[in-house]
Amino acid sequence: MNAVIPRPAARATPDSTPALTVAGPWRVRADDQRLTEVADTVHALLEPHLGARLLPGDTPAAHASEILLLLDGTSVPPARTAGTDPAGGAEPADEAYALTVHAQGITCRARTPQGAFRAATTAAQLIATAPDGGTIEAQEVTDAPRYAWRGLLIDPARCFLAPAEVRRIIDLAALYKLNVLHLHLTDNEGWRLELPSLPALTRGQTDADGKRLFYTADEYRDLQSYAARRHITLMPEIDLPGHCAALRAALPDLPPAPAPESARGFPFVPPLDLTDPATHAAVSAVLADVCALTDGPFVHIGGDEAVGITDACFDAGVRELRALARKSGKRPVSWQEASRAGTGPEDLAQFWVDVPMMDLPGTPEELADRPDLLAAGMTMEFASALTSFFAPSDHDVERILAGGGRLLLSPQSHLYLDRRYSAEVTPPHRARDAERLGFPTYRPRSVRHTASWDPASHGIPDDRIAGVEATVFGETLTGLDDLTTLLLPRLGSVAEAAWSGRAAEWEEYRRRLSRHAGLWRERGLAYFDAQDVPWE
C-alpha cells in the first residue's frame, strides 16, 4: 500500500516488476550539481528513519539502494498550481515531479530543484512508512500541487520554542510538502525577535530559570536559511495594532488608541494609535528592522481583534502598517479584519472567522448544552458580546473579493489545530491531554472533522485563493510535545487539502494515516493516537 500524504495525483503499478526491499543500506545521489544541496537535505531528513543504514552519496551503487535525483522532465506532468508563490515569484514555482520505484531504488525526476525535493519527500515517506523489513511496491507516480501557498503557523509568542525545536517543525512541514512557516512572533504574552533599533522589546524576555525566550538576529537568519534549504519560506508576524501588551510593557509611554463607546466593559489591552508621532516612530523602527532581517518577500502585520479602537484609528493604522512594510520592500499579509481599511489587488488577507464559525450559543438553552463552554466560564452576556464584536467578519470576504485581493484560507472551523480532540476519539490514557490542550471555547472535534474540510466549501473563486494555512496558537501549550500532540495526526489532512485542492476521502485516507505513527515515533515527535484512526 502507498501510504504517502499528500496522496499523489496519479499512480500506476507496472506488471511483473520486482518490489524494492527497504531493509538494506541506502544512499541519496544527485546526477546534477544543481541538486547537490537537495541531496544533502534529503539525506538529513532520512537520518532518523535509516540511521546507520544511510550511507554517503558516493557509496558504490552495488552496495546500496538509492534515491536518485534527476533534473529531467521525462514523464513529469505539467504544473497545475494556482495561488500566490510564497517565495515571491510572479508565477508559482514548478513543483511537479515523477517518481519511479524499482528493484534498485527510487528515481525522482523534476524540471526544478523544488520539484526534485518534493519527489524526494515522497520517497522518504515510502521508506519511513514501509513495514519493518518489508518492501515497497514497484510503481510510477506523477504529481503536482494545486495551491502554491501551503503553510503552517506556530506561536512562539505564547509558547516559545528553541531554535532547534523550530527546526524539527520545519523538517516535519517539509516531509508533508508544506512550504511556508508563519511565525507568530509577538502578542500580549511576549516579543520573541531581537531588533537592533529597539533592544528594550526583548529585555527581560527570560523564563524563571533565566533561559532566553527570544530569537537573536543571527538565530532568526539561521532559521530562514535552514527553512530555505527545505524549500520553505519563513514569514514573520508582528501583530499590530492590537495584541500589543508586550510592546507596551517595553515602551510604556505610548498612548492608547481612541476607544469607541461600545468597547466599554469588554476586556482589552489598548491598541496602538499610529497617528501618534511617538507610536509611529516606534512601529516604523520595528517594521524596518523586521523587514531588513527577513529574507522572504512577505511580512505579516496582524490587524486582527483590535478590541478598543475606533474605526477611523484602525483604518489609519492598517493603512500605515501596509505602507511601512512596502516602504521596506516587503509585501504585507494581514488577517481578514484589515479589509475594513480597504483592500487592493496586491493585498493578501488571511481568512479565519465568521460568526457561524464561532459556534457560539444564542440562547441559555444552547449554552446549557455546551459543557465545554460552561467549564471555560462562558456566560450568555460574554457570548453576546463576542457575537456582536465578530459580526463584521461575516462581510470581510466579500470586501476582499470586491477590492481585488486574494485570500489565504485558514478557517477556524477546521484549520485551527489548537482545538481539543473530542471525547469520542480520545483513548482513556490520553484523557488528561484531551482536556488540557486546545482553546477551551472551541468545540472539541475528531480527526475526521479536520480531514473533511474542502477548500471549495467557502464559495471563493479558485483564482482568488492564495493558498491554505493551518494554525496552532499556543495559549494552552507548554512545549514542543504539546504542539506536536495538537498537530499530529491532524496536520496530514491539511497538507493533503492544500496539495490536492480537495478533501481527503476519509476511509482511504485514514488507512494511509495509520502508517505515519511510526514515522513520527522515529522522529521523536509526540502525537495523539485518536481512536478514529486504525493505528499500525
Side-chain angles (χ1 to χ4, degrees):
M1 178 181 119
N2 184 323
V4 172
I5 298 174
R7 182 183 182 182
R11 175 177 175 265
T13 53
D15 293 336
S16 305
T17 302
L20 169 64
T21 300
V22 176
W26 283 83
R27 68 174 185 171
V28 181
R29 183 169 67 90
D31 84 328
D32 188 307
Q33 93 181 70
R34 290 171 292 175
L35 294 176
T36 300
E37 184 176 271
V38 173
D40 290 343
T41 303
V42 173
H43 188 283
L45 283 174
L46 281 167
E47 283 178 344
H49 308 291
L50 292 174
R53 291 187 290 139
L54 186 60
L55 306 178
D58 57 1
T59 301
H63 297 159
S65 301
E66 73 174 5
I67 296 175
L68 174 61
L69 307 177
L70 304 173
L71 284 179
D72 174 4
T74 305
S75 304
V76 177
R80 60 188 184 101
T81 312
T84 300
D85 181 8
E91 297 294 332
D94 183 352
E95 299 175 89
Y97 69 87
L99 177 148
T100 304
V101 177
H102 47 82
Q104 290 73 44
I106 304 174
T107 301
C108 302
R109 292 183 175 85
R111 289 180 289 266
T112 66
Q114 294 98 316
F117 182 73
R118 304 303 175 210
T121 62
T122 295
Q125 282 196 32
L126 286 169
I127 293 168
T129 60
D132 289 342
T135 60
I136 302 172
E137 184 179 29
Q139 56 195 281
E140 302 276 352
V141 168
T142 54
D143 203 9
R146 178 59 188 149
Y147 291 120
W149 186 302
R150 307 178 301 277
L152 171 65
L153 177 152
I154 60 174
D155 182 12
R158 296 186 177 94
C159 177
F160 184 72
L161 299 176
E165 294 173 320
V166 176
R167 287 193 283 272
R168 293 178 70 186
I169 295 299
I170 291 170
D171 285 345
L172 177 68
L175 281 168
Y176 289 102
K177 297 183 174 63
L178 302 180
N179 63 354
V180 177
L181 185 68
H182 175 168
L183 291 181
H184 187 77
L185 290 168
T186 73
D187 214 295
N188 294 328
E189 293 81 355
W191 190 282
R192 306 303 185 200
L193 179 61
E194 173 188 60
L195 298 181
S197 63
L198 286 169
L201 290 169
T202 46
R203 192 173 295 133
Q205 297 280 318
T206 57
D207 65 12
D209 299 321
K211 181 172 127 186
R212 177 165 47 81
L213 297 178
F214 63 89
Y215 306 113
T216 67
D218 285 343
E219 287 171 338
Y220 179 65
R221 291 188 186 98
D222 287 346
L223 286 174
Q224 292 179 88
S225 296
Y226 187 89
R229 288 193 294 275
R230 286 143 184 83
H231 296 279
I232 290 175
T233 298
L234 192 150
M235 178 175 69
E237 180 181 353
I238 305 300
D239 197 356
L240 299 172
H243 291 273
C244 60
L247 186 149
R248 287 197 170 283
L251 305 172
D253 296 330
L254 301 181
E261 188 73 25
S262 60
R264 299 191 180 197
F266 201 93
F268 64 89
V269 174
L272 298 177
D273 177 6
L274 269 80
T275 67
D276 168 69
T279 302
H280 187 275
V283 172
S284 296
V286 164
L287 286 180
D289 279 358
V290 171
C291 291
L293 289 170
T294 298
D295 297 331
F298 294 95
V299 168
H300 202 298
I301 59 172
D304 65 313
E305 297 179 325
V307 183
I309 190 171
T310 62
D311 291 345
C313 192
F314 178 75
D315 184 291
V318 167
R319 290 176 183 274
E320 189 58 23
L321 290 167
R322 288 171 176 160
L324 290 169
R326 288 176 175 135
K327 179 181 177 182
S328 291
K330 300 300 180 185
R331 186 171 171 187
V333 181
S334 62
W335 297 102
Q336 66 185 69
E337 292 97 317
S339 65
R340 299 165 207 172
T343 300
E346 287 301 305
D347 288 319
L348 187 57
Q350 196 159 359
F351 167 52
W352 72 280
V353 73
D354 54 31
V355 171
M357 218 182 287
M358 293 291 293
D359 196 18
L360 292 166
T363 66
E365 291 75 21
E366 290 177 2
L367 178 58
D369 287 337
R370 293 286 302 278
D372 53 316
L373 294 184
L374 292 171
M378 180 67 71
T379 64
M380 278 310 304
E381 180 182 14
F382 191 50
S384 297
L386 284 172
T387 300
S388 177
F389 177 73
F390 281 101
S393 67
D394 287 351
H395 304 287
D396 287 337
V397 169
E398 63 189 74
R399 272 189 282 268
I400 294 159
L401 294 176
R406 280 187 166 181
L407 289 132
L408 184 59
L409 303 185
S410 300
Q412 179 204 85
S413 57
H414 292 80
L415 269 59
Y416 268 49
L417 305 185
D418 52 332
R419 179 181 294 275
R420 292 177 176 176
Y421 293 95
S422 58
E424 66 267 20
V425 304
T426 298
H429 68 281
R430 303 307 298 271
R432 185 172 177 275
D433 286 335
E435 293 171 1
R436 179 176 65 88
L437 296 175
F439 202 66
T441 60
Y442 296 163
R443 189 189 295 270
R445 296 290 192 183
S446 65
V447 177
R448 182 174 188 171
H449 172 80
T450 303
S452 71
W453 179 71
D454 188 333
S457 63
H458 305 283
I460 297 168
D462 204 47
D463 64 348
R464 305 297 291 281
I465 296 175
V468 172
E469 186 171 292
T471 75
V472 188
F473 287 100
E475 286 93 338
T476 65
L477 309 184
T478 63
L480 179 65
D481 283 354
D482 285 352
L483 170 61
T484 61
T485 296
L486 287 178
L487 276 176
L488 304 173
R490 296 183 289 198
L491 183 64
S493 66
V494 179
E496 181 136 331
W499 182 268
S500 71
R502 59 183 181 274
E505 196 283 310
W506 173 245
E507 290 301 328
E508 186 275 339
Y509 171 74
R510 70 198 283 262
R511 290 194 294 273
R512 279 185 286 130
L513 182 61
S514 69
R515 298 277 286 275
H516 284 249
L519 182 155
W520 304 329
R521 287 193 296 268
E522 288 175 348
R523 304 193 74 82
L525 299 173
Y527 67 96
F528 192 84
D529 50 338
Q531 292 179 313
D532 51 350
V533 179
W535 300 107
E536 294 185 16

